[in-house]
Amino acid sequence: MSPTPPPVIAGLSHVVDRYDGFILDLWGCLHDGVRPYPGVIDALKRLRAAGKRLLAVSNGPRRASSVAVTTTQIGIDPASLDGILSAGEMAWQAIVDRADPWHARLGRRALHIGADRDRGMFEGNGLERSHDVTTADFILLTGPMDDEWDLPQHEELLRAALARRLPMVCANPDLDVIKGDVRLICAGTIAARYATLGGDVVQHGKPERPIYMRALTELGVADPRRVLACGDSFHTDVSGAHRAGIDVAFIPGGIHADELGYRPGESPDAAAVAALMAQYSVTPTWILPELKW
């Protein structure tokens, strides 16, 4: 039998008293990569007025300070949040700390697979940016080499890296993203291909547990049962929060909108949501059609 979808709530006001803190995805939840979704700015103001702690947790492959700049440019004031945490920040810190054997053996010369806008990932952590697979100690993956590139354009480079058995640090587990109305691949798709080829990959960000543990610390909410995560991806947001013991509101208008046949202002098709739940073996706590009050 197909799993039964959770209750649909019209806005966060219906559940706000249950939670002291909110973990909010950025892309697909607060904005579409171009502008904030309708109702988001008002919802943030009302949550803050209610005394709630708000932390944006993004799989963006850049330092948190850089993500804050982009968020401002899109039209969301970081001051409306209590903080921003990013997958890039988690990866950068892991490279600095080298607190486990896997990261400790990485070396200092990193081949960057990603856009030049992510070069801040090489600042302040002792890394040397390698431009040749033959001189690199490991791969630092932040995304496709160009936004217009798909997976096949990276195949030759990945195979060359595999021949040298280079480990890969993935600073964004997202598989793809919708920018405006265009779907683009993310670092997670490239990392998955490298792993399929036999490459050694470690990912930072959602759905990995460490980013949720740090998020709880930054929120200052001791009981994870008093925190609600909101996000649009079953692969990262829903699965990650569930594993961390945190309630999660699934927003169907983001990355899964096409497969759900979702239209703004409507409740998603229950059978389509049930199919996603079965595919990922996880059930959200709520369905929130749009992040609004």
Side-chain angles (χ1 to χ4, degrees), residues 208-218 224 243-246:
E208 306 301 328
R209 184 175 176 84
I211 197 168
Y212 287 95
M213 297 302 98
R214 180 163 172 180
L216 291 174
T217 298
E218 293 197 11
R243 295 175 195 169
I246 297 170

Side-chain angles (χ1 to χ4, degrees), residues 111-129:
L111 174 68
H112 182 209
I113 298 180
D116 193 54
R117 61 176 175 266
D118 303 332
R119 63 185 179 274
M121 289 293 290
F122 285 81
E123 297 173 358
N125 54 11
L127 290 185
E128 175 185 339
R129 191 176 182 183

